[in-house]
Amino acid sequence: MSEKLKDTLNNANKYVADNRLKVGIKPTFHLTGEIGWINDPNGFSFYKNKYHLFYQHNPYDVQFGDIYWGHATSDDMVSWKYEDIALAPDKEYDINGCFSGTAIVDNEKLVIMYTGFCNPDKDDISKSTQVQCIAVGDGKYFEKFENNPVIDKSNLPENCSEIDFRDPKIWVNDGVYYSLIANRASDGLGQLLLYKSTNLSEWEFVCVLLKNNGDFGKMWECPDLFMIEDKYVLIISPQEVVAKGDMFQNEHGTMYFIGDFNYDTFEFTYSDFNEIDFGLEFYAPQTLKTDDGRTILVAWCQSWGETIHHKVNGYSGIMTIPRELTIKNNKLYQYPVRELNDYRSNEVIYTNAIINGTEKLENVNGNIFDMELNIKNVDASFFEVRFLEDGESYVNIKVDFELNTVTFSRENNKFKGKNNTRTIHLKNTESIKMRILLDLYTFELFINDGEYATSYSVYAEDTAKDITFISDDKVKCDVSKWDISKR
Ligand code: FRU
């Protein structure tokens, strides 16, 4: 490792060590950076019997800056241990950031492919470059390849931007390495470029795997391509999207395509697509395959633009709970990793509780919990649950049985973003299942066993813990609630 890289890493790790005790209250089962800023999950992998989750990280500030790769490891994707910072910007090609990328296990090493960002003139982004780089490590220390960057403008086809060229997804198939990289075409729209290599150093452009036809925002970021059973799933994070019905209510969203990928023709065809998460904060997801065959997805539970970035506690940015992915009826279902159930305690159960008017249920309160609701309408036109109440402020979920909608709102919350409500239309709401994870500042709602997943930032006073159930007539509700505590 070069002396400069050693120094840059040591300085950052020392800064984290010196300041980690200044950080305020943290979520219990959602990962944040140790201090400072985080955005996208990176290099999500299973290596030497541990899950590894890296992330875009500015340790020195609670806002974006020159980006490092923070690093955490886990046995179960719920409790995370911070490791030393894994990658630091130190070379000309990545001096302003080691941007997002992915990892594979190869020859007993963890191989990272990331984007090097160089921005010599902060007032003129057109002079910046994005190139693809490799770093190889033992799960703790990573060496950048001598011949980095391994992909730069010299292997970009015509009409492809050098400025918007990032977030490689690397994988191996039949002894060949592949990399799928987000790029902006000269018409300003996103596209995914596929490369291949036999040695990680020399990469050959294969094709444009998919190009934005203008229907899905502008630039695309953070591609991932993986299989669930016999289907290929491609995910992207499109920017500057325009809302279409329930879809794309956020300026920067995420979406999936379900289809087929052919290694002979390098064609990706899809039959179905949709938004991944129907909340207000969710971006740049990545997946891994577990040893027992599950596909797990994790995302940054925030986004660029209008999202709330809470900075008072000395850190900014939270990951979603890792989610198990399945496909049912050509739709992507998401549900919290089953390992979370091992953290449940203090069970409170109500069977067929009748809600009619405004009700509180004994022992159903808190701001760190896992809750399941089975809601059956009898005579009501709406059913509402308020969370994080403190007399002045709350967030709520409201089911409108006449319109068949579920709406989340933080309009009545002390902390708001630009966009504070989101509504989903369901086929039927007469009977509806919800699972709610609340972990101080992160609120995740899964509807009907994961048919819809929605994530939100919900900053509130740490004392705001009341929960109230409201309806305008009879609703039957089973409530199961567990505290989630650290182990
Ligand atoms: C997505 C993203 C990536 C980029 C990274 C920089 O959130 O914009 O495209 O690599 O963040 O931190």
Side-chain angles (χ1 to χ4, degrees), residues 39-40 56 64 67 99-100 115 166-167 221-222 239 283-284 300 304:
N39 57 287
D40 314 358
Q56 294 284 280
F64 190 76
I67 288 293
F99 274 9
S100 284
T115 297
R166 57 183 174 271
D167 310 336
E221 299 188 307
C222 303
Q239 295 188 310
Y283 201 67
W300 178 34
W304 304 106

Side-chain angles (χ1 to χ4, degrees), residues 222-239:
C222 303
D224 196 352
L225 180 66
F226 50 93
M227 282 188 89
I228 297 183
E229 290 173 8
D230 59 344
K231 299 247 168 50
Y232 279 87
V233 181
L234 175 66
I235 63 183
I236 52 166
S237 295
Q239 295 188 310

Side-chain angles (χ1 to χ4, degrees), residues 374-389:
N374 283 327
I375 304 153
K376 285 174 219 88
N377 186 22
V378 183
D379 289 315
S381 71
F382 78 88
F383 172 74
E384 177 187 344
V385 193
R386 295 183 179 174
F387 301 89
L388 295 168
E389 269 188 303

Side-chain angles (χ1 to χ4, degrees), residues 9 35 37 46 78 84 144 151 153 174 181 183 189 201-202 205 254 300 374 382 391 396 398 430 446 458 460 485:
L9 280 170
I35 64 171
W37 162 275
F46 187 72
V78 180
D84 281 352
K144 297 179 186 176
I151 306 180
K153 64 177 176 190
D174 256 350
I181 309 171
N183 182 259
L189 300 177
S201 290
E202 290 141 316
F205 171 72
T254 57
W300 178 34
N374 283 327
F382 78 88
N396 66 339
K398 195 166 182 174
E430 283 309 290
F446 299 86
V458 286
S485 23

Side-chain angles (χ1 to χ4, degrees), residues 303-346:
S303 182
W304 304 106
E306 58 196 44
T307 193
I308 303 181
H309 292 288
H310 196 62
K311 296 171 178 163
V312 295
N313 283 342
Y315 61 88
S316 179
I318 299 178
M319 297 298 167
T320 62
I321 192 78
R323 301 167 178 184
E324 297 183 11
L325 299 186
T326 46
I327 296 177
K328 284 184 210 156
N329 304 323
N330 289 323
K331 271 181 120 176
L332 201 60
Y333 276 58
Q334 301 166 68
Y335 215 55
V337 280
R338 60 196 69 173
E339 287 84 345
L340 182 61
N341 297 2
D342 299 339
Y343 289 75
R344 289 171 163 180
S345 64
N346 301 332

